[in-house]
PDB file of all heavy atoms in Angstrom:
ATOM      1  N   PHE I 180     -37.338 -82.500  48.174  1.00 94.00           N
ATOM      2  CA  PHE I 180     -38.568 -82.032  48.814  1.00 94.00           C
ATOM      3  C   PHE I 180     -39.733 -82.989  48.598  1.00 94.00           C
ATOM      4  O   PHE I 180     -40.558 -83.172  49.492  1.00 94.00           O
ATOM      5  CB  PHE I 180     -38.949 -80.645  48.288  1.00 94.00           C
ATOM      6  CG  PHE I 180     -37.896 -79.604  48.498  1.00 94.00           C
ATOM      7  CD1 PHE I 180     -37.608 -78.673  47.508  1.00 94.00           C
ATOM      8  CD2 PHE I 180     -37.186 -79.554  49.684  1.00 94.00           C
ATOM      9  CE1 PHE I 180     -36.636 -77.711  47.700  1.00 94.00           C
ATOM     10  CE2 PHE I 180     -36.207 -78.591  49.884  1.00 94.00           C
ATOM     11  CZ  PHE I 180     -35.928 -77.671  48.889  1.00 94.00           C
ATOM     12  N   GLY I 181     -39.836 -83.582  47.423  1.00 92.00           N
ATOM     13  CA  GLY I 181     -40.922 -84.509  47.144  1.00 92.00           C
ATOM     14  C   GLY I 181     -42.262 -83.799  46.964  1.00 92.00           C
ATOM     15  O   GLY I 181     -42.355 -82.573  46.950  1.00 92.00           O
ATOM     16  N   ILE I 182     -43.313 -84.597  46.850  1.00 94.00           N
ATOM     17  CA  ILE I 182     -44.648 -84.049  46.587  1.00 94.00           C
ATOM     18  C   ILE I 182     -45.171 -83.241  47.766  1.00 94.00           C
ATOM     19  O   ILE I 182     -45.692 -82.131  47.605  1.00 94.00           O
ATOM     20  CB  ILE I 182     -45.640 -85.184  46.262  1.00 94.00           C
ATOM     21  CG1 ILE I 182     -45.234 -85.911  44.970  1.00 94.00           C
ATOM     22  CG2 ILE I 182     -47.062 -84.624  46.132  1.00 94.00           C
ATOM     23  CD1 ILE I 182     -45.329 -85.070  43.731  1.00 94.00           C
ATOM     24  N   ALA I 183     -45.025 -83.783  48.984  1.00 94.00           N
ATOM     25  CA  ALA I 183     -45.644 -83.144  50.154  1.00 94.00           C
ATOM     26  C   ALA I 183     -45.092 -81.743  50.391  1.00 94.00           C
ATOM     27  O   ALA I 183     -45.851 -80.768  50.485  1.00 94.00           O
ATOM     28  CB  ALA I 183     -45.440 -84.007  51.389  1.00 94.00           C
ATOM     29  N   GLN I 184     -43.768 -81.619  50.492  1.00 95.00           N
ATOM     30  CA  GLN I 184     -43.194 -80.309  50.793  1.00 95.00           C
ATOM     31  C   GLN I 184     -43.269 -79.361  49.603  1.00 95.00           C
ATOM     32  O   GLN I 184     -43.238 -78.138  49.772  1.00 95.00           O
ATOM     33  CB  GLN I 184     -41.747 -80.461  51.270  1.00 95.00           C
ATOM     34  CG  GLN I 184     -41.641 -81.103  52.635  1.00 95.00           C
ATOM     35  CD  GLN I 184     -40.406 -80.661  53.405  1.00 95.00           C
ATOM     36  OE1 GLN I 184     -39.960 -79.527  53.307  1.00 95.00           O
ATOM     37  NE2 GLN I 184     -39.846 -81.582  54.174  1.00 95.00           N
ATOM     38  N   SER I 185     -43.375 -79.891  48.408  1.00 95.00           N
ATOM     39  CA  SER I 185     -43.566 -79.030  47.234  1.00 95.00           C
ATOM     40  C   SER I 185     -44.986 -78.473  47.209  1.00 95.00           C
ATOM     41  O   SER I 185     -45.204 -77.278  46.980  1.00 95.00           O
ATOM     42  CB  SER I 185     -43.291 -79.813  45.944  1.00 95.00           C
ATOM     43  OG  SER I 185     -41.943 -80.224  45.875  1.00 95.00           O
ATOM     44  N   ALA I 186     -45.978 -79.347  47.439  1.00 96.00           N
ATOM     45  CA  ALA I 186     -47.374 -78.906  47.449  1.00 96.00           C
ATOM     46  C   ALA I 186     -47.637 -77.939  48.597  1.00 96.00           C
ATOM     47  O   ALA I 186     -48.347 -76.926  48.432  1.00 96.00           O
ATOM     48  CB  ALA I 186     -48.307 -80.107  47.553  1.00 96.00           C
ATOM     49  N   LEU I 187     -47.065 -78.222  49.775  1.00 96.00           N
ATOM     50  CA  LEU I 187     -47.253 -77.337  50.928  1.00 96.00           C
ATOM     51  C   LEU I 187     -46.607 -75.983  50.667  1.00 96.00           C
ATOM     52  O   LEU I 187     -47.204 -74.927  50.946  1.00 96.00           O
ATOM     53  CB  LEU I 187     -46.656 -77.979  52.184  1.00 96.00           C
ATOM     54  CG  LEU I 187     -46.774 -77.173  53.479  1.00 96.00           C
ATOM     55  CD1 LEU I 187     -48.231 -76.903  53.812  1.00 96.00           C
ATOM     56  CD2 LEU I 187     -46.083 -77.900  54.631  1.00 96.00           C
ATOM     57  N   PHE I 188     -45.399 -75.982  50.121  1.00 96.00           N
ATOM     58  CA  PHE I 188     -44.697 -74.740  49.826  1.00 96.00           C
ATOM     59  C   PHE I 188     -45.477 -73.909  48.809  1.00 96.00           C
ATOM     60  O   PHE I 188     -45.645 -72.698  48.963  1.00 96.00           O
ATOM     61  CB  PHE I 188     -43.299 -75.053  49.279  1.00 96.00           C
ATOM     62  CG  PHE I 188     -42.319 -73.913  49.387  1.00 96.00           C
ATOM     63  CD1 PHE I 188     -41.382 -73.878  50.401  1.00 96.00           C
ATOM     64  CD2 PHE I 188     -42.321 -72.885  48.463  1.00 96.00           C
ATOM     65  CE1 PHE I 188     -40.455 -72.839  50.505  1.00 96.00           C
ATOM     66  CE2 PHE I 188     -41.413 -71.840  48.543  1.00 96.00           C
ATOM     67  CZ  PHE I 188     -40.482 -71.818  49.565  1.00 96.00           C
ATOM     68  N   THR I 189     -45.985 -74.577  47.770  1.00 96.00           N
ATOM     69  CA  THR I 189     -46.759 -73.884  46.735  1.00 96.00           C
ATOM     70  C   THR I 189     -48.004 -73.243  47.327  1.00 96.00           C
ATOM     71  O   THR I 189     -48.340 -72.093  47.009  1.00 96.00           O
ATOM     72  CB  THR I 189     -47.164 -74.867  45.627  1.00 96.00           C
ATOM     73  OG1 THR I 189     -45.982 -75.333  44.960  1.00 96.00           O
ATOM     74  CG2 THR I 189     -48.090 -74.221  44.617  1.00 96.00           C
ATOM     75  N   THR I 190     -48.711 -73.973  48.184  1.00 96.00           N
ATOM     76  CA  THR I 190     -49.944 -73.454  48.775  1.00 96.00           C
ATOM     77  C   THR I 190     -49.661 -72.314  49.730  1.00 96.00           C
ATOM     78  O   THR I 190     -50.379 -71.306  49.739  1.00 96.00           O
ATOM     79  CB  THR I 190     -50.695 -74.572  49.516  1.00 96.00           C
ATOM     80  OG1 THR I 190     -50.822 -75.714  48.657  1.00 96.00           O
ATOM     81  CG2 THR I 190     -52.089 -74.125  49.915  1.00 96.00           C
ATOM     82  N   VAL I 191     -48.593 -72.428  50.526  1.00 96.00           N
ATOM     83  CA  VAL I 191     -48.264 -71.383  51.495  1.00 96.00           C
ATOM     84  C   VAL I 191     -47.770 -70.122  50.801  1.00 96.00           C
ATOM     85  O   VAL I 191     -48.165 -69.009  51.153  1.00 96.00           O
ATOM     86  CB  VAL I 191     -47.206 -71.883  52.502  1.00 96.00           C
ATOM     87  CG1 VAL I 191     -46.726 -70.729  53.384  1.00 96.00           C
ATOM     88  CG2 VAL I 191     -47.774 -72.990  53.370  1.00 96.00           C
ATOM     89  N   THR I 192     -46.922 -70.269  49.790  1.00 95.00           N
ATOM     90  CA  THR I 192     -46.317 -69.089  49.168  1.00 95.00           C
ATOM     91  C   THR I 192     -47.344 -68.213  48.460  1.00 95.00           C
ATOM     92  O   THR I 192     -47.184 -66.993  48.378  1.00 95.00           O
ATOM     93  CB  THR I 192     -45.199 -69.500  48.189  1.00 95.00           C
ATOM     94  OG1 THR I 192     -44.458 -68.341  47.813  1.00 95.00           O
ATOM     95  CG2 THR I 192     -45.745 -70.127  46.919  1.00 95.00           C
ATOM     96  N   THR I 193     -48.423 -68.804  47.963  1.00 94.00           N
ATOM     97  CA  THR I 193     -49.461 -67.997  47.327  1.00 94.00           C
ATOM     98  C   THR I 193     -50.570 -67.630  48.314  1.00 94.00           C
ATOM     99  O   THR I 193     -51.264 -66.632  48.106  1.00 94.00           O
ATOM    100  CB  THR I 193     -50.067 -68.723  46.108  1.00 94.00           C
ATOM    101  OG1 THR I 193     -50.254 -70.115  46.421  1.00 94.00           O
ATOM    102  CG2 THR I 193     -49.153 -68.611  44.911  1.00 94.00           C
ATOM    103  N   ALA I 194     -50.715 -68.410  49.385  1.00 94.00           N
ATOM    104  CA  ALA I 194     -51.644 -68.009  50.448  1.00 94.00           C
ATOM    105  C   ALA I 194     -51.101 -66.774  51.165  1.00 94.00           C
ATOM    106  O   ALA I 194     -51.826 -65.818  51.425  1.00 94.00           O
ATOM    107  CB  ALA I 194     -51.857 -69.148  51.430  1.00 94.00           C
ATOM    108  N   ALA I 195     -49.803 -66.794  51.466  1.00 92.00           N
ATOM    109  CA  ALA I 195     -49.170 -65.683  52.171  1.00 92.00           C
ATOM    110  C   ALA I 195     -48.654 -64.612  51.208  1.00 92.00           C
ATOM    111  O   ALA I 195     -47.922 -63.712  51.628  1.00 92.00           O
ATOM    112  CB  ALA I 195     -48.015 -66.203  53.027  1.00 92.00           C
ATOM    113  N   THR I 196     -49.036 -64.692  49.942  1.00 89.00           N
ATOM    114  CA  THR I 196     -48.604 -63.761  48.883  1.00 89.00           C
ATOM    115  C   THR I 196     -47.113 -63.461  48.958  1.00 89.00           C
ATOM    116  O   THR I 196     -46.679 -62.312  48.892  1.00 89.00           O
ATOM    117  CB  THR I 196     -49.406 -62.434  48.904  1.00 89.00           C
ATOM    118  OG1 THR I 196     -49.170 -61.740  50.120  1.00 89.00           O
ATOM    119  CG2 THR I 196     -50.895 -62.678  48.733  1.00 89.00           C
ATOM    120  N   THR I 197     -46.323 -64.526  49.122  1.00 91.00           N
ATOM    121  CA  THR I 197     -44.877 -64.367  49.184  1.00 91.00           C
ATOM    122  C   THR I 197     -44.279 -64.410  47.783  1.00 91.00           C
ATOM    123  O   THR I 197     -43.542 -63.529  47.379  1.00 91.00           O
ATOM    124  CB  THR I 197     -44.247 -65.463  50.058  1.00 91.00           C
ATOM    125  OG1 THR I 197     -44.897 -65.478  51.325  1.00 91.00           O
ATOM    126  CG2 THR I 197     -42.764 -65.226  50.258  1.00 91.00           C
ATOM    127  N   GLY I 198     -44.575 -65.472  47.027  1.00 89.00           N
ATOM    128  CA  GLY I 198     -44.074 -65.562  45.662  1.00 89.00           C
ATOM    129  C   GLY I 198     -42.823 -66.379  45.512  1.00 89.00           C
ATOM    130  O   GLY I 198     -42.406 -66.686  44.390  1.00 89.00           O
ATOM    131  N   THR I 199     -42.170 -66.738  46.618  1.00 93.00           N
ATOM    132  CA  THR I 199     -41.024 -67.628  46.520  1.00 93.00           C
ATOM    133  C   THR I 199     -41.500 -69.010  46.081  1.00 93.00           C
ATOM    134  O   THR I 199     -42.624 -69.415  46.387  1.00 93.00           O
ATOM    135  CB  THR I 199     -40.303 -67.716  47.879  1.00 93.00           C
ATOM    136  OG1 THR I 199     -39.204 -68.620  47.776  1.00 93.00           O
ATOM    137  CG2 THR I 199     -41.231 -68.223  48.965  1.00 93.00           C
ATOM    138  N   VAL I 200     -40.684 -69.752  45.332  1.00 94.00           N
ATOM    139  CA  VAL I 200     -41.098 -71.069  44.836  1.00 94.00           C
ATOM    140  C   VAL I 200     -39.972 -72.076  45.048  1.00 94.00           C
ATOM    141  O   VAL I 200     -38.796 -71.749  44.921  1.00 94.00           O
ATOM    142  CB  VAL I 200     -41.476 -71.032  43.339  1.00 94.00           C
ATOM    143  CG1 VAL I 200     -42.708 -70.169  43.107  1.00 94.00           C
ATOM    144  CG2 VAL I 200     -40.321 -70.510  42.486  1.00 94.00           C
ATOM    145  N   ASN I 201     -40.340 -73.304  45.395  1.00 94.00           N
ATOM    146  CA  ASN I 201     -39.335 -74.372  45.468  1.00 94.00           C
ATOM    147  C   ASN I 201     -39.573 -75.426  44.389  1.00 94.00           C
ATOM    148  O   ASN I 201     -38.972 -76.489  44.412  1.00 94.00           O
ATOM    149  CB  ASN I 201     -39.307 -75.006  46.861  1.00 94.00           C
ATOM    150  CG  ASN I 201     -40.488 -75.932  47.124  1.00 94.00           C
ATOM    151  OD1 ASN I 201     -41.474 -75.953  46.363  1.00 94.00           O
ATOM    152  ND2 ASN I 201     -40.409 -76.700  48.207  1.00 94.00           N
ATOM    153  N   ASN I 202     -40.481 -75.114  43.463  1.00 93.00           N
ATOM    154  CA  ASN I 202     -40.708 -75.982  42.310  1.00 93.00           C
ATOM    155  C   ASN I 202     -41.241 -75.114  41.169  1.00 93.00           C
ATOM    156  O   ASN I 202     -41.640 -73.967  41.388  1.00 93.00           O
ATOM    157  CB  ASN I 202     -41.689 -77.120  42.649  1.00 93.00           C
ATOM    158  CG  ASN I 202     -43.067 -76.609  43.001  1.00 93.00           C
ATOM    159  OD1 ASN I 202     -43.941 -76.452  42.151  1.00 93.00           O
ATOM    160  ND2 ASN I 202     -43.306 -76.327  44.296  1.00 93.00           N
ATOM    161  N   MET I 203     -41.236 -75.645  39.965  1.00 92.00           N
ATOM    162  CA  MET I 203     -41.680 -74.885  38.802  1.00 92.00           C
ATOM    163  C   MET I 203     -43.193 -74.942  38.687  1.00 92.00           C
ATOM    164  O   MET I 203     -43.763 -75.996  38.381  1.00 92.00           O
ATOM    165  CB  MET I 203     -41.039 -75.453  37.535  1.00 92.00           C
ATOM    166  CG  MET I 203     -41.445 -74.750  36.262  1.00 92.00           C
ATOM    167  SD  MET I 203     -40.810 -73.086  36.129  1.00 92.00           S
ATOM    168  CE  MET I 203     -39.117 -73.410  35.640  1.00 92.00           C
ATOM    169  N   HIS I 204     -43.867 -73.822  38.953  1.00 91.00           N
ATOM    170  CA  HIS I 204     -45.328 -73.803  38.900  1.00 91.00           C
ATOM    171  C   HIS I 204     -45.852 -74.078  37.491  1.00 91.00           C
ATOM    172  O   HIS I 204     -46.982 -74.541  37.326  1.00 91.00           O
ATOM    173  CB  HIS I 204     -45.857 -72.469  39.414  1.00 91.00           C
ATOM    174  CG  HIS I 204     -45.746 -72.305  40.899  1.00 91.00           C
ATOM    175  ND1 HIS I 204     -46.341 -71.278  41.602  1.00 91.00           N
ATOM    176  CD2 HIS I 204     -45.118 -73.066  41.828  1.00 91.00           C
ATOM    177  CE1 HIS I 204     -46.076 -71.404  42.896  1.00 91.00           C
ATOM    178  NE2 HIS I 204     -45.323 -72.472  43.052  1.00 91.00           N
ATOM    179  N   ASP I 205     -45.045 -73.783  36.488  1.00 90.00           N
ATOM    180  CA  ASP I 205     -45.460 -74.023  35.106  1.00 90.00           C
ATOM    181  C   ASP I 205     -45.646 -75.515  34.821  1.00 90.00           C
ATOM    182  O   ASP I 205     -46.356 -75.890  33.894  1.00 90.00           O
ATOM    183  CB  ASP I 205     -44.417 -73.435  34.150  1.00 90.00           C
ATOM    184  CG  ASP I 205     -44.907 -73.385  32.715  1.00 90.00           C
ATOM    185  OD1 ASP I 205     -46.036 -72.909  32.491  1.00 90.00           O
ATOM    186  OD2 ASP I 205     -44.172 -73.833  31.819  1.00 90.00           O
ATOM    187  N   THR I 206     -45.000 -76.369  35.628  1.00 90.00           N
ATOM    188  CA  THR I 206     -45.092 -77.816  35.405  1.00 90.00           C
ATOM    189  C   THR I 206     -46.081 -78.496  36.345  1.00 90.00           C
ATOM    190  O   THR I 206     -46.183 -79.725  36.344  1.00 90.00           O
ATOM    191  CB  THR I 206     -43.705 -78.480  35.586  1.00 90.00           C
ATOM    192  OG1 THR I 206     -43.248 -78.260  36.930  1.00 90.00           O
ATOM    193  CG2 THR I 206     -42.699 -77.889  34.616  1.00 90.00           C
ATOM    194  N   LEU I 207     -46.792 -77.738  37.152  1.00 92.00           N
ATOM    195  CA  LEU I 207     -47.829 -78.335  37.992  1.00 92.00           C
ATOM    196  C   LEU I 207     -48.935 -78.922  37.123  1.00 92.00           C
ATOM    197  O   LEU I 207     -49.168 -78.467  35.997  1.00 92.00           O
ATOM    198  CB  LEU I 207     -48.423 -77.279  38.926  1.00 92.00           C
ATOM    199  CG  LEU I 207     -47.513 -76.715  40.025  1.00 92.00           C
ATOM    200  CD1 LEU I 207     -48.172 -75.508  40.686  1.00 92.00           C
ATOM    201  CD2 LEU I 207     -47.178 -77.771  41.057  1.00 92.00           C
ATOM    202  N   THR I 208     -49.618 -79.913  37.643  1.00 92.00           N
ATOM    203  CA  THR I 208     -50.784 -80.426  36.931  1.00 92.00           C
ATOM    204  C   THR I 208     -51.822 -79.295  36.832  1.00 92.00           C
ATOM    205  O   THR I 208     -51.760 -78.337  37.609  1.00 92.00           O
ATOM    206  CB  THR I 208     -51.405 -81.615  37.687  1.00 92.00           C
ATOM    207  OG1 THR I 208     -51.822 -81.177  38.999  1.00 92.00           O
ATOM    208  CG2 THR I 208     -50.406 -82.758  37.823  1.00 92.00           C
ATOM    209  N   PRO I 209     -52.759 -79.362  35.896  1.00 92.00           N
ATOM    210  CA  PRO I 209     -53.726 -78.262  35.754  1.00 92.00           C
ATOM    211  C   PRO I 209     -54.442 -77.899  37.050  1.00 92.00           C
ATOM    212  O   PRO I 209     -54.574 -76.718  37.386  1.00 92.00           O
ATOM    213  CB  PRO I 209     -54.691 -78.799  34.697  1.00 92.00           C
ATOM    214  CG  PRO I 209     -53.874 -79.715  33.861  1.00 92.00           C
ATOM    215  CD  PRO I 209     -52.919 -80.370  34.824  1.00 92.00           C
ATOM    216  N   LEU I 210     -54.913 -78.908  37.788  1.00 93.00           N
ATOM    217  CA  LEU I 210     -55.608 -78.614  39.052  1.00 93.00           C
ATOM    218  C   LEU I 210     -54.625 -78.159  40.124  1.00 93.00           C
ATOM    219  O   LEU I 210     -54.971 -77.341  40.981  1.00 93.00           O
ATOM    220  CB  LEU I 210     -56.396 -79.839  39.519  1.00 93.00           C
ATOM    221  CG  LEU I 210     -57.574 -80.254  38.629  1.00 93.00           C
ATOM    222  CD1 LEU I 210     -58.326 -81.422  39.258  1.00 93.00           C
ATOM    223  CD2 LEU I 210     -58.523 -79.081  38.383  1.00 93.00           C
ATOM    224  N   GLY I 211     -53.412 -78.704  40.081  1.00 94.00           N
ATOM    225  CA  GLY I 211     -52.385 -78.225  41.011  1.00 94.00           C
ATOM    226  C   GLY I 211     -52.043 -76.775  40.744  1.00 94.00           C
ATOM    227  O   GLY I 211     -51.868 -75.977  41.675  1.00 94.00           O
ATOM    228  N   GLY I 212     -51.962 -76.382  39.474  1.00 93.00           N
ATOM    229  CA  GLY I 212     -51.701 -74.992  39.116  1.00 93.00           C
ATOM    230  C   GLY I 212     -52.868 -74.069  39.410  1.00 93.00           C
ATOM    231  O   GLY I 212     -52.683 -72.858  39.591  1.00 93.00           O
ATOM    232  N   LEU I 213     -54.068 -74.643  39.463  1.00 95.00           N
ATOM    233  CA  LEU I 213     -55.247 -73.842  39.795  1.00 95.00           C
ATOM    234  C   LEU I 213     -55.187 -73.323  41.226  1.00 95.00           C
ATOM    235  O   LEU I 213     -55.689 -72.237  41.524  1.00 95.00           O
ATOM    236  CB  LEU I 213     -56.504 -74.695  39.595  1.00 95.00           C
ATOM    237  CG  LEU I 213     -57.847 -74.107  40.058  1.00 95.00           C
ATOM    238  CD1 LEU I 213     -58.158 -72.819  39.302  1.00 95.00           C
ATOM    239  CD2 LEU I 213     -58.969 -75.123  39.858  1.00 95.00           C
ATOM    240  N   VAL I 214     -54.553 -74.072  42.119  1.00 96.00           N
ATOM    241  CA  VAL I 214     -54.521 -73.700  43.535  1.00 96.00           C
ATOM    242  C   VAL I 214     -53.799 -72.370  43.762  1.00 96.00           C
ATOM    243  O   VAL I 214     -54.389 -71.441  44.347  1.00 96.00           O
ATOM    244  CB  VAL I 214     -53.897 -74.826  44.381  1.00 96.00           C
ATOM    245  CG1 VAL I 214     -53.563 -74.340  45.785  1.00 96.00           C
ATOM    246  CG2 VAL I 214     -54.852 -76.014  44.454  1.00 96.00           C
ATOM    247  N   PRO I 215     -52.541 -72.210  43.345  1.00 95.00           N
ATOM    248  CA  PRO I 215     -51.906 -70.901  43.560  1.00 95.00           C
ATOM    249  C   PRO I 215     -52.617 -69.776  42.822  1.00 95.00           C
ATOM    250  O   PRO I 215     -52.696 -68.650  43.319  1.00 95.00           O
ATOM    251  CB  PRO I 215     -50.483 -71.100  43.029  1.00 95.00           C
ATOM    252  CG  PRO I 215     -50.547 -72.277  42.126  1.00 95.00           C
ATOM    253  CD  PRO I 215     -51.606 -73.156  42.707  1.00 95.00           C
TER     254      PRO I 215
END
């Protein structure tokens, strides 16, 4: 998936309150984890 599809998936899944994940949110950078 790489960075682009991981970041897009993370943003969409919490924007749409879905909760499905294609990467480990615990390992996101601090600001990346701030988004979801």
